[in-house]
């Protein structure tokens, strides 16, 4: 069994936080549940300051503000593994995210471990320890938590410290340590951008097939669904399933009977939201044509897509050969497409409101240089 303290006491938490504030590194993890909800439900906070492991119970009557304060202490490096979802948890519960941030999955990618190396795989490869991951999908909101659950949670930060100690010298030897911190800043910047309900329709699968009048309906329904999901804290598909939004937009039902008859519509969708859906369909159809969204064009359908993608991919591969950084750490297919979308799909006003593509900022821009722009 791992050595840890299950924290339900305010005084104990404050004592740990006071001691942790004197350290240079803090190892963190979260356990949460999200099945039907839009937001994650925090079940446990794990922290290791190099001396003590604490498992903090966020469900008890305890003020977590001393712990949240540690997250933004600029003198403490926060170390997590594959922390995208953890960042969402922190944003939801305390309105901030850990910085400076070191993600061991990203660090592993710079050292050739691949983009998605799991925690257990990294522990086994670097430390020779095989972890039991059977508790990964456990119900962290249940109380009491079993000894097995708590031991599993403690190991998620105990071995994180040992991985970090292995990764940092290897990164320093290659001159890549700052790159990992830069990637942490980029992740946080992206997570800090709130979703725009009026743009939700653009990312719905199959939206590119629709005509402007259909898109007007889809845009209205997608914005309504997202706002309703936020209001009720329900996953989007528990409001209305995404494919059904497309079906409604195409058919534009005028009454409940027409809505019920649409293929794929669930009885509960019509029962709970039928009238709201019909209202939004009616309102969208009442819009003048000049207010309809323009038809969407898939990136792959642009005339020069294949040529431009290959040129960018070649530029990335040349940069990888020159720098010794693995290709996958420099740019994935998604990141290359992000650049092409930025250049082809957005106007100057849209670009002013968004973060630049990954390849057009920071260390990636410095690495690719003129090769990036000569490919466009």
């Amino acid at each position: 069994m791992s050595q840890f303290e299950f924290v339900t006491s305010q005084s104990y938490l404050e004592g740990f936080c006071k001691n942790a504030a004197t350290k240079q590194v803090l190892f963190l993890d979260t356990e949460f549940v999200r099945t039907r909800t839009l937001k994650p439900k925090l079940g446990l906070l794990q922290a290791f300051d190099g001396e003590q492991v604490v498992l903090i119970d966020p469900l008890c009557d305890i003020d977590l503000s001393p712990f949240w304060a540690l997250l933004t202490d600029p003198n403490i490096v926060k170390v997590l593994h594959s922390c995208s979802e953890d960042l969402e948890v922190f944003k939801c519960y305390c309105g901030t995210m850990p910085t400076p941030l070191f993600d061991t999955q990203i660090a592993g990618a710079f050292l050739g471990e691949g983009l998605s190396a799991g925690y257990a795989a990294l522990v086994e490869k670097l430390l020779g320890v095989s972890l039991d991951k059977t508790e990964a999908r456990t119900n962290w909101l249940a109380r009491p938590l079993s000894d097995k659950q708590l031991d599993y949670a403690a190991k998620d930060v105990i071995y994180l410290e040992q991985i970090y100690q292995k990764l940092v010298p290897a990164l320093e030897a290659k001159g890549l340590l700052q790159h990992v911190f830069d990637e942490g800043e980029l992740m946080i910047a992206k997570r800090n951008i709130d979703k725009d309900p009026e743009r939700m329709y653009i990312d719905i699968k199959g939206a590119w097939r629709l005509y402007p009048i259909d898109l007007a309906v889809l845009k209205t329904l997608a914005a309504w669904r997202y706002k309703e999901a936020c209001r009720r804290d329900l996953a989007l598909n528990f409001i209305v399933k995404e494919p059904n939004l497309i079906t409604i937009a195409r058919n534009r039902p005028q009454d409940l009977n027409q809505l019920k008859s649409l293929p794929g519509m669930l009885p509960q969708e019509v029962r709970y939201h039928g009238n709201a859906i019909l209202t939004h369909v009616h309102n969208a159809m009442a819009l003048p044509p000049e207010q309809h969204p323009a038809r969407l064009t898939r990136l792959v359908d642009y005339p020069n897509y294949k040529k431009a993608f290959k040129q960018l991919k070649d530029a990335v591969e040349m940069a990888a050969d020159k720098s010794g950084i693995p290709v996958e750490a420099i740019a994935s297919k998604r990141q290359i497409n992000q650049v092409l979308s930025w250049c082809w799909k957005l106007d100057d006003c849209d670009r002013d409101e968004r973060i630049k593509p990954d390849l057009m900022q920071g260390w990636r821009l410095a690495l690719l240089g003129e090769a990036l722009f000569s490919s466009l």
Side-chain angles (χ1 to χ4, degrees), residues 37-97:
T37 59
L38 184 65
K39 297 178 180 179
K41 299 299 181 184
L42 181 60
L44 196 67
L45 288 161
Q46 302 107 286
F48 180 34
D49 65 358
E51 291 182 7
Q52 185 180 17
V53 175
V54 292
L55 308 179
I56 303 166
D57 184 4
L59 304 184
C60 68
D61 185 18
I62 189 171
D63 177 13
L64 294 172
S65 57
F67 183 78
W68 301 140
L70 292 174
L71 296 186
T72 53
D73 188 325
N75 299 312
I76 306 173
V77 173
K78 271 65 71 171
V79 181
L80 297 96
H81 182 85
S82 184
C83 68
S84 178
E85 291 184 306
D86 299 298
L87 295 182
E88 185 178 359
V89 170
F90 291 132
K91 184 178 179 180
C92 285
Y93 279 84
C94 66
T96 190
M97 286 176 272

Side-chain angles (χ1 to χ4, degrees), residues 39-192:
K39 297 178 180 179
K41 299 299 181 184
L42 181 60
L44 196 67
L45 288 161
Q46 302 107 286
F48 180 34
D49 65 358
E51 291 182 7
Q52 185 180 17
V53 175
V54 292
L55 308 179
I56 303 166
D57 184 4
L59 304 184
C60 68
D61 185 18
I62 189 171
D63 177 13
L64 294 172
S65 57
F67 183 78
W68 301 140
L70 292 174
L71 296 186
T72 53
D73 188 325
N75 299 312
I76 306 173
V77 173
K78 271 65 71 171
V79 181
L80 297 96
H81 182 85
S82 184
C83 68
S84 178
E85 291 184 306
D86 299 298
L87 295 182
E88 185 178 359
V89 170
F90 291 132
K91 184 178 179 180
C92 285
Y93 279 84
C94 66
T96 190
M97 286 176 272
T99 182
L101 174 63
F102 183 104
D103 188 313
T104 52
Q105 186 178 70
I106 291 173
F110 278 111
L111 296 173
E113 299 298 336
L115 282 179
S116 55
Y119 178 69
L122 213 53
V123 168
E124 185 159 15
K125 181 169 183 179
L126 297 182
L127 306 178
V129 176
S130 180
L131 293 180
D132 180 2
K133 299 295 288 183
T134 57
E135 297 298 325
R137 297 299 177 187
T138 194
N139 181 7
W140 294 101
L141 301 179
R143 293 295 184 270
L145 294 171
S146 69
D147 289 342
K148 189 175 181 181
Q149 286 175 303
L150 295 173
D151 185 61
Y152 164 89
K155 287 176 178 176
D156 273 355
V157 286
I158 289 174
Y159 292 116
L160 194 60
E161 188 263 350
Q162 296 179 44
I163 290 175
Y164 176 76
Q165 297 299 341
K166 293 250 182 192
L167 292 173
V168 168
L171 291 165
E172 287 179 328
K174 292 178 176 289
L176 298 176
L177 181 59
Q178 186 57 46
H179 286 28
V180 179
F181 288 109
D182 291 344
E183 289 294 277
E185 289 183 10
L186 183 57
M187 276 200 296
I188 290 171
K190 291 177 179 178
R191 277 290 176 186
N192 270 325

Side-chain angles (χ1 to χ4, degrees), residues 278-299:
L278 293 174
T279 296
H280 288 294
V281 170
H282 173 78
N283 292 342
M285 292 179 65
L287 293 171
E290 59 268 22
Q291 293 185 28
H292 295 169
R295 291 200 70 174
L296 301 173
T297 302
R298 292 186 303 173
L299 192 60

Side-chain angles (χ1 to χ4, degrees), residues 179 308-323 325-332 335-340 357-376:
H179 286 28
F309 182 88
K310 184 179 185 304
Q311 289 176 334
L312 281 173
K313 185 178 178 183
D314 290 345
V316 169
E317 289 175 350
M318 289 178 61
D321 288 340
K322 184 177 180 180
S323 66
I325 300 174
V327 168
E328 59 270 22
I330 298 174
S332 63
Q335 288 169 313
I336 292 175
N337 284 338
Q338 189 183 56
V339 172
L340 297 177
D358 297 351
L359 299 186
M360 297 177 71
Q361 60 176 308
W363 64 269
R364 288 184 176 89
L365 178 60
L367 191 63
L368 292 166
E370 289 301 320
L372 173 64
F373 297 101
S374 62
S375 302
L376 299 175

